[in-house]
Amino acid sequence: MECMNVFGQSFHNVIGESVCSVLLEGGDKDESSAQIDDWSSENENLSCSYCRIKFSDIQSQREHYKLDWHRYNLKQSLVSKPPITEEEFGEKTGNDDLSSISGSDTEKEDTLDTYATAQGKIFLQNKLGQVFSMYRCLLFDRKEEISDEDILARLTQCCVGNQQWTVLMLGGGHFAGAVFQGSEPILHKTFHCYTVRAGQGGSQSSRDSKSGGPQPKSAGASLRRYNEQSLVQHVKAIVDTWRSEIDKSSLIIYRASGPYNRSVLFGGSVPLLERSDKRLRTIPFSTRRATFAEVKRVQTVLATVEVYKNLQEATQYFSKQKSPEADSKRNKIRSACINRAKSRETVERPLPGVLSGASSAESGLERVGKPDEPLELHLTFSNEEIDVNESLQEFGDSLTPEQRKKMPKKKQPRKSKTKKLKEKEEAKRKDLAETLFRGDLGKLRKLLENHLKTSEEGETAKENGKHSFVNEVLDESGNALLHIAALNEHEAIVKFLLDNDADPCLKNRNQQTAYSCTQSREIREALKQFARDNPDKYNYNKAQIPTNALTAEETAEKRKTQRKVKKEKEKEKKKENLVKRKEDEEKDRFLHLSDREKRALAAERRILSQSGTVTARCFLCASDISGKVPFEYSGNRFCTIECLKAHRIKNPVVLS
């Protein structure tokens, strides 16, 4: 096998002008299928279009559909092969030529035909007997009929006369396109727009058509809508720019997966490409993401032609290739379930090569022959009767009750004094913690009295014993008696412990005192009251108890004073707001005056500041117009419009 490029001179020499026939061609319906359709249309219902026979009644037709001959012809039609007669089928089955009634024999022609159909290729043969295969889409569209006379003309047109191809790929927001002159790209462009929803796939337009909502539901949806419009504009601009070179191309090869991508190329009032264009071809094999490297790969694969010396060499080559069925079986996922109906494969394991003498003697096996010779085993048998009930007897107790009493009893391990004291202390702490949890003040007094009785005599010893009892840590969190009483909100016990030298400054492992570990208002008030009554007994800052807290009467007096101060502040604020409001009104009134009125008002205020009084009078009737807005013309001021008219009539203006 030899690979050539369709644009190379060597390929042109092989083709020459001697193409005479089409051997095999994949992707179209052949003449046998057409003959079956014509035959079935001309006959009546009581017939089989696959086996081409007629029946006298419906029963014989039903019986025919159960025959292996019919099944074989049915499979033959699926791979576009002509049917065989019943005699030929009998000869095949009699000579054992059929491996199965499937219509897919393992003949060389079948392998070549299967490969041509699966790969979308066409096999041609010239007059010299050389066979070459190339992709069918380079010569004609899949809907066109095949004729040997047009093969040479198509090859000359697409590969010799005009070697310019256009390849366009669009999918997933990626666009890649190029115009090739031979094997060299003369124009190329790639870009990407975010139009596919990450992790879920599908364009935003298809998502909108399913949801039915006109408005985007997120910022990403709005961005994808904008990018889809931008993608259409970019592709249109590129195709319009390349229009002259695309028109010169002999083939336009494209890939646009999905309705949205096809609408970019063929949709709209003025589509970029016309579907009726005879140069349009789809890529006949799987492709990856649309990139410039992938576009070049597509052009290289389509332009590659495989040349064989003769038909026999091509058949031998493709007979070694895996069939599509084998590829599909290879791609199947192995299931974790075990099919119990199938028999398991038997695994032949080798026998042990050498047996030791001791083991063979014990097992009754004897080795015959030399060590280097193959092993032969002889079995020796002995007839001996074995009483299986000999060693069995009724279960019984061999000891009498008297003997069992005399048996020494197992001694329990003695506990040490330290362990006993420790267990006693733990039980005492547990009992004390339960007493505090229940709030049993009477039992707490008894426990304290019992502890003082067991302590040493003397006042100092009793004080130390009392101090150690009320300040003992009872749990793993480091809480003392006062902490547990405060957490359980037992006010009487808290007061009792404080009166018996319980230290409020003790902290647990969370660095909390009895005051800070509780949220009870009564407990905190009791601790505050103890701090007021005993100001010098403890460091209450360390105990986190506020010592400057006021009594109820002092607190009420303080609140009363605060309310009084607040009312006075509100009165002052009202006065300030009133003054500010009057000032704003004066400002608004002054702003609504004309410039002449503002000057007059300023003059009046100057006179008032000098003499103390100002009287403004009408120029005609001498009425007092102080504080009023006068009527003016030419610097004259009047109290009413009637005075102004009378003054105008009395003193007319003469124009020079």
Side-chain angles (χ1 to χ4, degrees), residues 63-204:
E63 293 294 333
H64 170 75
Y65 289 152
K66 300 178 183 179
L67 299 178
D68 290 344
W69 173 41
H70 173 75
R71 290 172 52 205
Y72 181 83
N73 285 335
L74 184 63
K75 296 294 183 180
Q76 288 284 93
S77 66
L78 294 178
V79 293
S80 303
K81 292 185 178 181
I84 62 175
T85 62
E86 190 173 5
E87 291 77 10
E88 294 174 350
F89 179 76
E91 292 178 0
K92 280 182 173 288
T93 55
N95 298 331
D96 198 15
D97 292 340
L98 295 178
S99 59
S100 64
I101 311 301
S102 60
S104 57
D105 299 339
T106 57
E107 298 177 2
K108 297 179 181 179
E109 292 79 10
D110 291 350
T111 305
L112 193 62
D113 188 10
T114 304
Y115 184 81
T117 304
Q119 299 295 328
K121 288 190 174 184
I122 184 172
F123 289 83
L124 306 174
Q125 186 178 25
N126 58 11
K127 293 182 179 180
L128 300 178
Q130 293 177 324
V131 176
F132 57 94
S133 66
M134 59 191 305
Y135 280 96
R136 184 183 187 280
C137 64
L138 300 179
L139 302 179
F140 29 70
D141 192 9
R142 58 185 176 182
K143 297 181 181 179
E144 291 185 79
E145 295 294 336
I146 301 172
S147 60
D148 296 344
E149 292 77 8
D150 297 337
I151 297 297
L152 184 60
R154 293 293 178 90
L155 283 173
T156 304
Q157 178 184 356
C158 299
C159 304
V160 181
N162 186 0
Q163 299 183 358
Q164 183 166 321
W165 292 358
T166 299
V167 181
L168 302 175
M169 298 179 66
L170 183 64
H174 294 266
F175 171 81
V179 178
F180 293 89
Q181 181 63 42
S183 300
E184 297 296 328
I186 57 177
L187 294 173
H188 64 88
K189 180 68 176 179
T190 60
F191 65 86
H192 170 242
C193 290
Y194 170 59
T195 60
V196 177
R197 304 173 69 238
Q200 300 183 17
S203 61
Q204 185 61 36

Side-chain angles (χ1 to χ4, degrees), residues 31 71 88 238 300 440 625 650:
E31 297 178 359
R71 290 172 52 205
E88 294 174 350
I238 292 170
T300 303
D440 192 348
I625 58 174
K650 188 176 181 180

Side-chain angles (χ1 to χ4, degrees), residues 204 207-217 225:
Q204 185 61 36
R207 177 74 176 180
D208 294 339
S209 62
K210 292 179 182 178
S211 60
Q215 299 298 330
K217 297 182 179 180
R225 286 187 180 186

Side-chain angles (χ1 to χ4, degrees), residues 505-519:
C505 300
L506 293 177
K507 295 182 180 180
N508 57 14
R509 292 190 178 181
N510 295 329
Q511 300 301 315
Q512 292 177 333
T513 62
Y515 183 87
S516 60
C517 72
T518 183
Q519 300 295 328

Side-chain angles (χ1 to χ4, degrees), residues 440-458:
D440 192 348
L441 183 56
K443 188 174 181 180
L444 181 61
R445 283 197 180 97
K446 290 181 180 179
L447 291 175
L448 180 58
E449 292 174 359
N450 294 333
H451 181 74
L452 294 177
K453 288 179 181 179
T454 56
S455 61
E456 298 178 358
E457 296 182 357

Side-chain angles (χ1 to χ4, degrees), residues 325-531:
E325 290 103 10
D327 293 338
S328 63
K329 291 179 181 178
R330 181 189 61 187
N331 295 331
K332 286 184 179 179
I333 300 174
R334 296 184 64 183
S335 174
C337 300
I338 299 175
N339 189 357
R340 302 295 181 184
K342 293 184 178 180
S343 60
R344 298 175 61 183
E345 297 181 359
T346 57
V347 180
E348 295 183 359
R349 296 181 176 85
L351 295 173
V354 179
L355 289 176
S356 62
S359 61
S360 60
E362 293 174 359
S363 59
L365 302 178
E366 297 180 1
R367 179 180 179 89
V368 179
K370 298 180 180 180
D372 298 335
E373 295 179 356
L375 182 66
E376 296 182 7
L377 301 179
H378 287 251
L379 302 179
T380 59
F381 301 94
S382 61
N383 297 325
E384 295 182 2
E385 294 183 1
I386 300 174
D387 188 4
V388 296
N389 299 323
E390 182 180 359
S391 60
L392 300 179
Q393 60 182 358
E394 185 179 358
F395 176 76
D397 192 357
S398 60
L399 298 178
T400 62
E402 292 78 10
Q403 291 175 344
R404 187 172 287 104
K405 288 180 181 180
K406 293 179 181 180
M407 289 181 63
K409 295 183 179 179
K410 293 182 179 179
K411 296 182 179 180
Q412 297 293 336
R414 292 185 178 181
K415 297 181 181 179
S416 62
K417 292 183 179 180
T418 307
K419 193 172 183 181
K420 288 181 179 180
L421 290 175
K422 190 175 180 180
E423 290 180 355
K424 189 175 181 180
E425 290 293 331
E426 289 293 335
K428 181 181 176 183
R429 289 178 185 176
K430 187 176 180 181
D431 188 20
L432 185 57
E434 290 179 356
T435 302
L436 293 170
F437 181 77
R438 294 194 302 268
D440 192 348
L441 183 56
K443 188 174 181 180
L444 181 61
R445 283 197 180 97
K446 290 181 180 179
L447 291 175
L448 180 58
E449 292 174 359
N450 294 333
H451 181 74
L452 294 177
K453 288 179 181 179
T454 56
S455 61
E456 298 178 358
E457 296 182 357
E459 291 295 331
T460 306
K462 289 186 177 181
E463 289 294 330
N464 293 335
K466 183 192 295 185
H467 186 272
S468 63
F469 178 82
V470 296
N471 294 313
E472 185 179 5
V473 177
L474 298 180
D475 57 10
E476 296 179 354
S477 299
N479 292 320
L481 277 69
L482 195 60
H483 287 90
I484 297 176
L487 287 170
N488 291 282
E489 300 180 2
H490 298 307
E491 184 179 356
I493 295 180
V494 170
K495 292 180 179 180
F496 173 77
L497 293 173
L498 289 173
D499 294 338
N500 288 277
D501 298 334
D503 190 358
C505 300
L506 293 177
K507 295 182 180 180
N508 57 14
R509 292 190 178 181
N510 295 329
Q511 300 301 315
Q512 292 177 333
T513 62
Y515 183 87
S516 60
C517 72
T518 183
Q519 300 295 328
S520 175
R521 186 174 180 181
E522 291 78 8
I523 300 298
R524 290 193 171 187
E525 286 296 331
L527 291 168
K528 289 179 184 178
Q529 187 62 39
F530 179 79

Side-chain angles (χ1 to χ4, degrees), residues 258-278:
Y260 168 73
N261 296 317
R262 287 193 292 270
S263 66
V264 175
L265 297 178
F266 302 104
S269 57
V270 183
L272 300 179
L273 300 176
E274 295 291 341
R275 291 186 181 272
S276 59
D277 194 345
K278 296 183 178 181

